[in-house]
């Protein structure tokens, strides 16, 4: 049996937490597709060619806290504009989506481009200020020294680049269920996602 859940949305809207919780609840495999772009971005920061980096990506490149920095996030959104980089990462995501037992993929274009036939599509969003505050707390807790204002500026810049690119821009699929987590506790957002998926599965 294959069952695919596509969860898209902007940075720090809560899609990672929701995806992990949903995968755990239903026993599905989970792929954070942002990690693919972050891994390519990190290689480019280290001097690699972006297309070769995307074509030669290895699962072990997706591990490690060094992919979580704001610098790598910006580099990821820069390489993600390139249609050839996106194309090089497509097969891996599509085959993950159809693995037996069910899969949750989260990213920006899962419901629109990677898995337009997904069984359930969610679009998770929140205000930029709320997302920046969450990301600021998360990174500060990890010991990174940064300001809320710099995180907000990063979030806005990345949103703008992700929404305005020509290939696979960040937009909700027409049949996606919207979850706005601005004024929602994360447990309630997870419960909402589980309820939507349960109606279909
Ligand atoms: O989700 P995360 O913040 O880790 O993603 C990093 C960047 O990778 C995003 O800002 C976006 O530009 C890119 N990305 C993408 N398509 C995806 C997942 C991430 O373009 N499916």
């Amino acid at each position: 049996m294959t069952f695919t859940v596509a969860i898209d949305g902007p940075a720090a809207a809560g899609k990672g937490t929701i995806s992990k919780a949903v995968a755990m609840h239903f026993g599905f495999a989970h792929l954070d597709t942002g990690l693919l772009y972050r891994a390519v971005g990190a290689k480019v920061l280290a001097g690699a060619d972006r297309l070769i980096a995307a074509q030669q990506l290895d699962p072990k490149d997706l591990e490690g806290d060094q992919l979580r920095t704001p610098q790598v996030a910006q580099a990821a959104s820069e390489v993600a504009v390139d249609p050839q980089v996106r194309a090089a990462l497509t097969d891996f995501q599509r085959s993950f989506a159809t693995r037996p037992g069910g899969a949750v993929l989260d990213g920006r274009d899962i419901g629109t481009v990677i898995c337009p036939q997904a069984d359930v599509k969610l679009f998770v969003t929140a205000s930029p200020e709320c997302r920046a505050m969450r990301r600021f707390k998360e990174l500060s807790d990890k010991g990174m020294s940064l300001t809320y204002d710099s995180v907000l500026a990063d979030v806005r810049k990345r949103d703008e680049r992700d929404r305005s690119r020509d290939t696979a821009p960040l937009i909700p699929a027409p049949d996606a269920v919207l979850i706005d987590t601005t004024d929602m506790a994360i447990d309630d957002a997870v419960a909402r996602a589980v309820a939507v998926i349960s109606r279909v599965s």
Side-chain angles (χ1 to χ4, degrees), residues 7 18 22 26 120 122 179 188-198:
I7 305 187
I18 293 173
V22 158
F26 292 98
V120 181
L122 304 177
I179 301 181
D188 294 336
V190 168
R192 178 84 214 289
V194 167
V196 172
I197 298 163
S198 297

Side-chain angles (χ1 to χ4, degrees), residues 57-81:
L57 210 59
D58 188 277
K60 72 172 182 338
D61 297 330
L62 308 180
E63 290 158 18
D65 261 0
Q66 75 286 353
L67 296 181
R68 293 280 161 213
T69 66
Q71 291 78 7
V72 170
Q74 286 300 332
S77 85
E78 283 166 29
V79 300
V81 171

Side-chain angles (χ1 to χ4, degrees), residues 11 19 21 27 35 44 48 54 67 69 77 105 111 114 161 163 165 169 179 189 194-196:
S19 302
L35 281 180
V44 168
L67 296 181
T69 66
S77 85
L105 285 81
I114 300 295
R161 199 185 282 124
R163 289 196 175 112
R165 67 182 174 221
I179 301 181
V194 167
V196 172

Side-chain angles (χ1 to χ4, degrees), residues 43 75 94:
K43 282 178 183 280
R94 287 197 177 139

Side-chain angles (χ1 to χ4, degrees), residues 3-196:
F3 190 91
T4 309
V5 181
I7 305 187
D8 291 305
K15 53 184 197 312
T17 309
I18 293 173
S19 302
K20 280 189 211 114
V22 158
M24 181 87 92
H25 182 93
F26 292 98
F28 296 159
H30 171 225
L31 178 64
D32 169 359
T33 65
L35 281 180
L36 304 175
Y37 294 91
R38 284 174 182 261
V40 175
K43 282 178 183 280
V44 168
L45 289 177
D49 173 84
R50 63 189 178 190
L51 186 52
I52 293 175
Q55 286 165 340
Q56 296 180 350
L57 210 59
D58 188 277
K60 72 172 182 338
D61 297 330
L62 308 180
E63 290 158 18
D65 261 0
Q66 75 286 353
L67 296 181
R68 293 280 161 213
T69 66
Q71 291 78 7
V72 170
Q74 286 300 332
S77 85
E78 283 166 29
V79 300
V81 171
D82 184 337
Q84 286 185 291
V85 166
R86 307 197 70 84
L89 300 174
T90 298
D91 284 353
F92 176 75
Q93 296 176 79
R94 287 197 177 139
S95 68
F96 191 97
T98 54
R99 55 169 61 190
V104 183
L105 285 81
D106 74 271
R108 303 290 188 287
D109 63 338
I110 307 304
T112 49
V113 175
I114 300 295
C115 304
Q117 312 299 337
D119 298 278
V120 181
K121 297 178 187 177
L122 304 177
F123 194 87
V124 181
T125 187
S127 72
E129 293 77 12
C130 167
R131 291 186 285 118
M133 185 50 80
R134 287 181 193 154
R135 189 49 54 90
F136 169 65
K137 287 189 181 143
E138 181 191 321
L139 296 174
S140 304
D141 286 349
K142 282 189 181 156
M144 281 183 218
S145 115
L146 25 70
T147 63
Y148 165 76
D149 285 347
S150 73
V151 177
L152 179 61
D154 273 0
V155 161
R156 286 191 192 283
K157 194 164 150 196
R158 213 140 60 89
D159 281 0
E160 171 58 23
R161 199 185 282 124
D162 290 348
R163 289 196 175 112
S164 63
R165 67 182 174 221
D166 291 334
T167 308
L170 171 66
I171 37 160
D175 51 346
V177 175
L178 294 188
I179 301 181
D180 186 329
T181 65
T182 307
D183 297 313
M184 228 187 227
I186 193 64
D187 288 352
D188 294 336
V190 168
R192 178 84 214 289
V194 167
V196 172

